[in-house]
Amino acid sequence: MTSSDSRHCKTCGAPLDLDPRDADAWNDRAVARHQLGDLADAIRDYGRAIELDPGDFGAWTNRGAARLEAGDREGALADADRANAIEPSATAWVTRGNARCELGDIRGSIEDFDRALDLAPDDARAWNNRGLSRQALGELREALGDLDRAVALDPEFASAYANRASLRQALGDLPGALADGDRAIAIDPTEATGFLSRGLARRDLGDLDGALEDFERAVALAPRWAKAWTNRGNVHHELGDPQRAIEDYAHAIGLDELDPGPWIDRAMARQALGDLAGALEDLDRGVALGPGDPMAYNDRGAVRQLAGDVRGAIEDYDRAIEIQPEFARAFNNRGLARRLLRELPAAVADHTRAIELDPGHAEAWYNRALSRRDLGDAEGAILDLVRTVELQPEDARAWFQLGATRQARGDRPGAVADYDRAIAIRPDPLPALCK
């Protein structure tokens, strides 16, 4: 009997007063406890069943699944190996693959899911889980094929729809992500992953209030899921409430202090409140936990720059670019830092590289314009500022700087028109537009 077997359990959690030497009775009670979420007692009962009948591959398989749920990945791996040595099964290979995935062996987990599918080509769980591992490796199209297969095999597989929603979001298919999130919730409104996936799609579609509702629901359904708290914090921050965001990030950190994400996100919220020292502390922790994350270095560089440590900022941007050589934002930020140090040719080179990598990066066009103007290239600066306002027609700073550059070249009518446009967009005092 596996933990997913729906047949009647003859012991149903009651004391084993009929035959304490009956391995099936121990296994059945373990299954009942497992289904109730009593993992510790379930694992003990599975262990007793194994002692009485070491050749029962089902007990080894079930204990492996329970151990994995309890966080004992190594124990789960060992039990799955023992089960497969007795009688290979798709269930044991899936458990083994899940354990390897959680241990960081993503490629190995795919091998295990392949073995499961060799044994059971119609096992929707194996297709779903292989899709998740492929997504983790960046094999997004292959992952989508696996998740498509999972929902085709089991149209009521709520988690597979939720997972496909997250994948579609990553692929930029936001309507598809929203539809999958809706489907996951319709199938199982008690499953937090559906709300989280739909919330992510809503956020990317600009529906921040809808996203917040979904993340609120995810937190209510899974209060110990750090990712739900982190995403709710992200929306609070985007809605202009960094203090509430910090509270959510703190909760996420309390649930999983080894995840660099909420440390980095809390740093950005602290920066928004002017707490640069606190932001740097969080970013140091985030970088230590995720030393291969280029965004963490980029974000720390930005905060260092604000704190006046421009050389330290450049070191972080260098590291971000070393990790991800096509990171346009890091090139743009490094150009800003170099401009502060009056290393203008190097600044122009960095902004140019950012533009090459991302021609729609309006900030890079704007920043290159300022460095070009500082170098005496007013014509080049005007061209860059014109491109900036084409990309961002409501950027008052760019219109103002375009007017100032034209005025310096003697084009007073053009300058007045640009200033009028800047003031119409943002009738702030002059210093606000000079930044």
Side-chain angles (χ1 to χ4, degrees):
M1 176 177 179
T2 67
S3 59
S4 60
D5 197 326
S6 60
R7 72 179 174 84
H8 179 65
C9 171
K10 64 188 179 186
T11 57
C12 297
L16 288 165
D17 54 1
L18 295 177
D19 185 358
R21 302 291 302 173
D22 184 348
D24 284 342
W26 286 98
N27 187 65
D28 283 354
R29 189 173 75 172
V31 168
R33 285 176 158 171
H34 193 170
Q35 291 171 339
L36 291 170
D38 182 5
L39 297 177
D41 284 337
I43 289 168
R44 279 193 288 271
D45 282 352
Y46 285 134
R48 183 61 179 145
I50 288 167
E51 289 175 6
L52 292 168
D53 184 1
D56 183 356
F57 82 96
W60 288 101
T61 301
N62 292 341
R63 190 175 72 173
R67 280 179 157 175
L68 186 61
E69 290 180 46
D72 179 9
R73 300 170 182 113
E74 297 287 357
L77 195 62
D79 281 351
D81 283 341
R82 187 62 182 269
N84 281 325
I86 298 168
E87 183 177 332
S89 70
T91 299
W93 282 110
V94 167
T95 296
R96 192 175 193 275
N98 290 340
R100 291 177 86 176
C101 183
E102 293 186 20
L103 287 166
D105 182 9
I106 309 299
R107 187 62 67 187
S109 75
I110 291 175
E111 294 172 0
D112 286 346
F113 298 137
D114 287 343
R115 295 291 295 273
L117 290 168
D118 287 341
L119 293 169
D122 292 336
D123 188 332
R125 298 166 306 152
W127 288 101
N128 174 75
N129 294 2
R130 190 176 73 176
L132 292 176
S133 290
R134 283 177 158 173
Q135 182 177 356
L137 289 177
E139 300 171 359
L140 302 187
R141 291 296 172 186
E142 294 84 352
L144 183 61
D146 282 350
L147 291 170
D148 286 345
R149 183 65 175 152
V151 298
L153 288 166
D154 184 357
E156 299 300 308
F157 194 170
S159 294
Y161 282 104
N163 294 332
R164 192 172 69 175
S166 296
L167 178 57
R168 282 179 157 171
Q169 180 220 1
L171 288 167
D173 177 13
L174 299 181
L178 197 61
D180 276 346
D182 287 340
R183 179 65 178 148
I185 292 166
I187 294 169
D188 186 358
T190 69
E191 175 56 56
T193 55
F195 287 98
L196 184 76
S197 297
R198 190 176 70 178
L200 290 170
R202 283 177 157 178
R203 179 188 174 195
D204 282 359
L205 286 166
D207 179 11
L208 295 181
D209 290 333
L212 183 59
E213 290 178 6
D214 279 343
F215 295 143
E216 294 274 13
R217 187 66 177 147
V219 165
L221 289 168
R224 296 197 60 76
W225 191 14
K227 189 175 181 180
W229 289 93
T230 298
N231 279 285
R232 191 176 77 171
N234 291 340
V235 174
H236 278 313
H237 193 178
E238 291 182 47
L239 286 170
D241 192 348
Q243 186 55 54
R244 289 194 67 182
I246 287 171
E247 293 168 6
D248 280 349
Y249 298 141
H251 203 109
I253 290 167
L255 291 169
D256 185 1
E257 64 179 10
L258 298 181
D259 180 359
W263 290 97
I264 295 167
D265 291 335
R266 188 172 71 174
M268 296 299 98
R270 283 180 157 175
Q271 176 195 333
L273 291 174
D275 179 12
L276 298 184
L280 283 172
E281 288 179 7
D282 281 350
L283 284 163
D284 286 343
R285 185 64 183 272
V287 167
L289 290 169
D293 181 2
M295 184 63 76
Y297 287 98
N298 180 72
D299 289 344
R300 189 172 70 176
V303 176
R304 280 180 160 178
Q305 189 169 321
L306 286 172
D309 179 13
V310 181
R311 290 293 181 194
I314 289 175
E315 290 176 4
D316 276 342
Y317 299 140
D318 287 344
R319 180 62 179 141
I321 291 166
E322 180 184 346
I323 297 169
Q324 186 176 326
E326 297 185 352
F327 194 176
R329 191 186 304 180
F331 277 103
N332 179 62
N333 287 346
R334 191 173 69 180
L336 283 171
R338 284 175 162 170
R339 180 169 180 256
L340 289 173
L341 294 174
R342 309 311 293 167
E343 298 173 358
L344 298 177
V348 169
D350 276 344
H351 295 313
T352 299
R353 183 58 180 150
I355 290 166
E356 290 170 350
L357 293 167
D358 182 4
H361 195 328
E363 284 296 308
W365 289 97
Y366 176 81
N367 292 326
R368 188 174 73 172
L370 300 187
S371 292
R372 279 181 154 179
R373 191 176 64 189
D374 290 349
L375 283 168
D377 180 10
E379 183 177 351
I382 289 173
L383 291 173
D384 282 350
L385 288 166
V386 167
R387 183 59 181 148
T388 303
V389 297
E390 288 174 350
L391 291 167
Q392 293 186 166
E394 299 303 306
D395 188 341
R397 299 169 312 151
W399 284 108
F400 178 86
Q401 296 293 352
L402 184 56
T405 309
R406 282 180 166 155
Q407 183 179 0
R409 296 199 71 199
D411 179 8
R412 292 184 180 180
V416 169
D418 290 337
Y419 289 145
D420 285 345
R421 186 64 183 271
I423 293 168
I425 296 168
R426 184 177 174 183
D428 292 305
L430 186 62
L433 295 176
C434 292
K435 295 178 180 178

